[in-house]
């Protein structure tokens, strides 16, 4: 399947407020436009997940990060530059995203992706992409497309037809950084 064709199809669904099932640089994810609260709510409903359990946003670069966060701790850039594996950073005081994506402590988890499909899709969207593992809340994260439950596959508006034969990587490392320089590793 042609990557550009898949980007176009996924973009059209997202633009209309739909949700997609797609490969990321770690595991298969369920995603949507991070600025569309209705689409975000669809994902919470599909995952049977409380809206108090926040999801992360994928971003494709510095410009997108600065659009969502005014203040970014210097250590965040160092971690992103030095990380050898995908790393999610939880940062303070996000803006310009759907309110139901922001955690109760006014934080948001983000990850810069280099995976070509995700990167190019966000280039076309000009917005961050929600990413949450492709499972019902509380169930194990599927390590391959074949392990994703039919309920999830039927519940999304579009399934990206790329890398469905590949075993997924591990979920990302998660590090919480506060604007007053506190660092806490949530998941290694």
């Amino acid at each position: 399947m042609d990557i550009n064709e898949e980007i176009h199809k996924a973009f059209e669904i997202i633009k209309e407020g739909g949700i997609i099932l797609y490969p990321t640089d770690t595991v298969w994810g369920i995603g949507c436009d991070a600025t569309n609260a209705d689409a975000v709510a669809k994902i919470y409903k599909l995952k049977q997940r409380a809206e108090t359990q926040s999801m992360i946003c994928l971003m494709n670069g510095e410009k997108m990060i600065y659009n969502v966060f005014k203040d970014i701790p210097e250590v965040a850039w160092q971690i992103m530059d030095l990380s050898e594996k995908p790393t999610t950073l939880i940062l303070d005081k996000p803006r310009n995203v759907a309110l139901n994506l922001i955690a109760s402590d006014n934080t948001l988890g983000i990850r810069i992706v280099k995976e070509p499909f995700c990167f190019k899709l966000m280039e076309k969207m000009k917005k961050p992409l929600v990413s949450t593992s492709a499972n019902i809340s509380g169930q194990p994260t599927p390590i391959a497309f074949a392990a994703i439950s039919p309920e999830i596959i039927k519940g999304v508006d579009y399934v990206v037809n790329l890398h469905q034969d590949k075993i997924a990587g591990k979920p990302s490392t998660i590090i919480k950084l506060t604007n007053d320089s506190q660092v806490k590793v949530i998941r290694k």
Side-chain angles (χ1 to χ4, degrees):
M1 188 53 76
D2 176 44
I3 186 171
N4 291 323
E5 194 177 312
E6 287 301 305
I7 289 165
H8 176 75
K9 287 177 181 175
F11 174 72
E12 290 301 317
I13 295 292
I14 287 171
K15 194 170 71 174
E16 297 300 319
I19 61 177
I20 64 168
L21 180 60
Y22 65 102
T24 73
D25 51 345
T26 56
V27 297
W28 273 81
I30 305 170
C32 68
D33 170 353
T35 66
N36 184 329
D38 291 339
V40 170
K42 283 185 196 175
I43 295 177
Y44 280 118
K45 186 176 179 191
L46 176 62
K47 282 186 63 91
Q48 299 167 26
R49 181 179 182 143
E51 287 200 13
T52 52
Q53 291 181 286
S54 52
M55 298 183 284
I56 72 162
C57 285
L58 300 181
M59 300 195 178
N60 67 359
E62 216 172 281
K63 185 178 176 189
M64 205 172 270
I65 293 174
Y66 275 114
N67 188 41
V68 177
F69 299 96
K70 187 175 163 203
D71 300 312
I72 302 160
E74 187 55 41
V75 70
W77 300 114
Q78 294 166 352
I79 290 169
M80 284 187 258
D81 287 344
L82 299 172
S83 292
E84 291 177 16
K85 65 181 206 167
T87 300
T88 298
L89 298 179
I90 300 173
L91 302 175
D92 286 338
K93 299 181 186 159
R95 59 198 175 144
N96 301 327
V97 294
L99 292 178
N100 54 350
L101 262 182
I102 300 171
S104 56
D105 63 352
N106 200 19
T107 61
L108 179 66
I110 61 156
R111 187 168 80 242
I112 297 274
V113 290
K114 296 175 178 79
E115 194 282 324
F117 170 80
C118 294
F119 188 90
K120 290 177 180 174
L121 176 59
M122 285 184 283
E123 235 173 19
K124 194 169 174 110
M125 291 168 60
K126 297 182 178 31
K127 296 176 185 176
L129 181 65
V130 170
S131 186
T132 182
S133 56
N135 59 325
I136 301 294
S137 203
Q139 293 182 357
T141 299
I143 59 156
F145 180 79
I148 299 170
S149 80
E151 190 175 353
I152 294 288
I153 292 170
K154 288 181 191 132
V156 298
D157 299 302
Y158 186 68
V159 177
V160 173
N161 194 12
L162 294 170
H163 311 302
Q164 292 186 359
D165 54 349
K166 204 170 90 177
I167 296 293
K170 289 189 168 120
S172 65
T173 297
I174 300 176
I175 301 172
K176 185 171 186 172
L177 303 175
T178 60
N179 285 345
D180 60 359
S181 302
Q182 292 180 42
V183 178
K184 182 180 180 186
V185 176
I186 311 275
R187 180 173 70 200
K188 284 188 179 183

